[in-house]
Amino acid sequence: MSKGKRDRSAAKRIVEQQKAAERRRRVTIWTSVAVVGVLVIAGLIGFGVLSKKDSTDASKLTTPTVAVDDGTAFAVGTGPVTVDLYEDFMCPICHEFETQAGDTITTLIADKKITARYHPVAILDRASNGTNYSTRSAGAAAAAAEGGKFIEYHKVLYDNQPEENSDGLDNAKLIELGKSVGLGDAFATAVNDKTYDTWAGKVTDTFSSRGYTGTPTIVVAGKQLQGSNGSIPTAEQFSAAVTAAVG
Amino acid sequence: MHWGKAWPWISTVARLGLSAVFLVAGGLKITDLDESARAVNAYRLMDYDTAKVIGAIQPFLEIAVGLLLLIGLAVRLSAAIGALLLVVFIAGIISAWARGLQIDCGCFSKGGDLAAGRTAQYGWDIARDVGFLLLAGILLWKPRTRFSMDGLLMGER
């Protein structure tokens, strides 16, 4: 091989290497741009889905006329101490709390010591095999409140609480339980039409925006009440908190 | 076998593994954005309105990163973004742990507060996320993989 020939082939190799490097550089730039673009689009889709949901919810929202606290709770009793109870009808610990302290609450209401405000939140929809029992039962409770039977219906729902991760009670059963406490056709229609299901979402959002994350959340005169080690308060602890709030 | 030849295969496994992690994590949350918002809210690091936005965007981002890794586009950058997400998640878990919160990390579920009687498994959550971070680390170090868009576009065989 002559010297000239060797030089030419070396030059050719260098040009090829430069071309390949140039291609890699171009590919890297454009794929990076594509990645950033994809992520921005994904973020915008997420934001769009959220805004769309918020506006659909706003248009579908029916607030029960009897609801208090910005339309997110049902008040029982007329006592001076306000007690807020955030409960999910699917939540076993809420059931436990109702079993332990339900009678005490009923007595305190009857003695005009407290006003109990029930907030039927729906945070356990995942625990009913896709039937959204938490939302459906909260919506049904709102329909019961419109029919003037909230506390009665609240009781039968806990007495008949389905197991977590079961299908929950179906609408027919929810209506049957309503009939058992004296609710009529308007109630049945509201359950079947899911009239208050969107409202249950609003109650849940209000609950979250107040910084609460678990059920039951029990708030006596604006102060969250917990038992020892973050457990649910006993009936005695509950009474004591009410007495303390009266001052 | 020479290590130089093995790396693209090791990286391919890391890429597909990390891709699956993000796709599953995002897929589990995307079906219920309300839950996702509450999972973010449970960390008590921001107000609920912000948590709602983060909770809605996060699953879409996770799926996007998962898909980008799956097809192997700009692997080094995609892995870096995945690593960044993981670092944020780990920081969140550590902060929840440090403040003594009892929450489900919401990593592969919809999260939220734990029921009374259940204890948070923060140590395991962090160890698992660090494992994923290691996969991302492999890709940052050796981003060349088989069956990738990058390879196709670079004209590799």
Side-chain angles (χ1 to χ4, degrees):
Chain A
M1 206 188 275
S2 74
K3 187 173 178 295
K5 220 170 179 184
R6 235 189 355 250
D7 281 352
R8 268 200 301 283
S9 82
K12 208 172 153 195
R13 220 175 24 251
I14 288 169
V15 169
E16 268 166 15
Q17 278 171 356
Q18 280 174 342
K19 271 186 176 166
E22 171 63 18
R23 179 175 184 178
R24 274 199 300 278
R25 204 176 62 87
R26 248 195 355 258
V27 167
T28 307
I29 289 172
W30 285 110
T31 51
S32 300
V33 169
V35 162
V36 172
V38 166
L39 292 176
V40 169
I41 290 168
L44 288 175
I45 292 176
F47 190 76
V49 168
L50 178 69
S51 329
K52 174 121 199 317
K53 199 186 139 320
D54 280 352
S55 66
T56 326
D57 283 359
S59 68
K60 280 199 301 193
L61 180 69
T62 311
T63 304
T65 52
V66 294
V68 298
D69 189 18
D70 207 14
T72 62
F74 301 114
V76 183
T78 54
V81 178
T82 301
V83 175
D84 287 291
L85 301 156
Y86 299 86
E87 297 173 327
D88 186 312
F89 287 111
M90 188 53 130
C91 142
I93 308 186
C94 302
H95 186 196
E96 212 175 291
F97 174 72
E98 285 296 326
T99 313
Q100 275 183 32
D103 288 344
T104 309
I105 295 172
T106 311
T107 312
L108 288 168
I109 290 170
D111 294 350
K112 296 198 184 340
K113 290 272 192 343
I114 63 170
T115 300
R117 298 198 300 194
Y118 289 89
H119 307 250
V121 298
I123 60 168
L124 293 170
D125 274 338
R126 63 167 180 272
S128 53
N129 299 334
T131 72
N132 295 339
Y133 177 70
S134 294
T135 293
R136 286 188 298 116
S137 56
E146 283 295 79
K149 300 274 184 203
F150 175 79
I151 199 67
E152 293 84 350
Y153 194 63
H154 175 268
K155 186 177 184 321
V156 288
L157 278 185
Y158 276 114
D159 287 348
N160 292 278
Q161 190 183 47
E163 288 264 328
E164 255 187 311
N165 299 315
S166 71
D167 292 350
L169 310 178
D170 59 16
N171 285 353
K173 181 71 184 172
L174 287 175
I175 291 166
E176 187 193 313
L177 290 175
K179 294 237 160 85
S180 77
V181 298
L183 288 158
D185 290 343
F187 170 77
T189 310
V191 171
N192 282 326
D193 292 353
K194 306 179 175 171
T195 308
Y196 300 110
D197 283 17
T198 307
W199 173 81
K202 185 194 166 189
V203 176
T204 312
D205 269 358
T206 305
F207 159 83
S208 298
S209 67
R210 289 174 181 174
Y212 305 134
T213 53
T215 52
T217 290
I218 298 130
V219 182
V220 178
K223 221 176 113 202
Q224 191 173 349
L225 176 67
Q226 286 186 314
S228 32
N229 295 323
S231 63
I232 50 170
T234 60
E236 291 72 35
Q237 286 169 326
F238 182 80
S239 303
V242 170
T243 312
V246 172
Chain B
M1 196 177 183
H2 194 263
W3 274 103
K5 282 195 166 159
W7 270 116
W9 290 104
I10 296 171
S11 294
T12 306
V13 171
R15 194 189 94 211
L16 296 177
L18 196 60
S19 158
V21 166
F22 277 106
L23 287 177
V24 170
L28 285 169
K29 291 173 202 130
I30 209 162
T31 50
D32 193 340
L33 296 182
D34 289 336
E35 286 263 14
S36 183
R38 286 196 289 276
V40 176
N41 198 40
Y43 281 87
R44 298 172 180 83
L45 288 170
M46 56 197 97
D47 64 57
Y48 182 61
D49 283 329
T50 315
K52 260 174 102 165
V53 175
I54 303 285
I57 290 176
Q58 188 198 329
F60 286 92
L61 277 186
E62 286 178 344
I63 287 180
V65 170
L67 289 174
L68 288 168
L69 287 168
L70 183 67
I71 62 169
L73 192 71
V75 169
R76 187 171 258 163
L77 179 63
S78 300
I81 291 163
L84 185 70
L85 285 177
L86 285 165
V87 168
V88 172
F89 298 160
I90 293 170
I93 297 169
I94 291 175
S95 98
W97 198 358
R99 284 173 293 155
L101 301 180
Q102 285 293 321
I103 62 173
D104 180 324
C105 77
C107 307
F108 286 92
S109 68
K110 287 151 187 157
D113 266 15
L114 286 176
R118 276 183 61 206
T119 347
Q121 304 283 322
Y122 296 124
W124 284 113
D125 290 335
I126 293 170
R128 191 194 48 208
D129 280 3
V130 168
F132 297 152
L133 205 51
L134 225 58
L135 293 180
I138 291 175
L139 291 172
L140 282 172
W141 186 34
K142 300 271 185 191
R144 267 191 62 197
T145 57
R146 300 279 160 183
F147 317 117
S148 68
M149 282 293 278
D150 285 349
L152 210 65
L153 293 168
M154 303 273 188
E156 287 172 8
R157 299 213 164 246

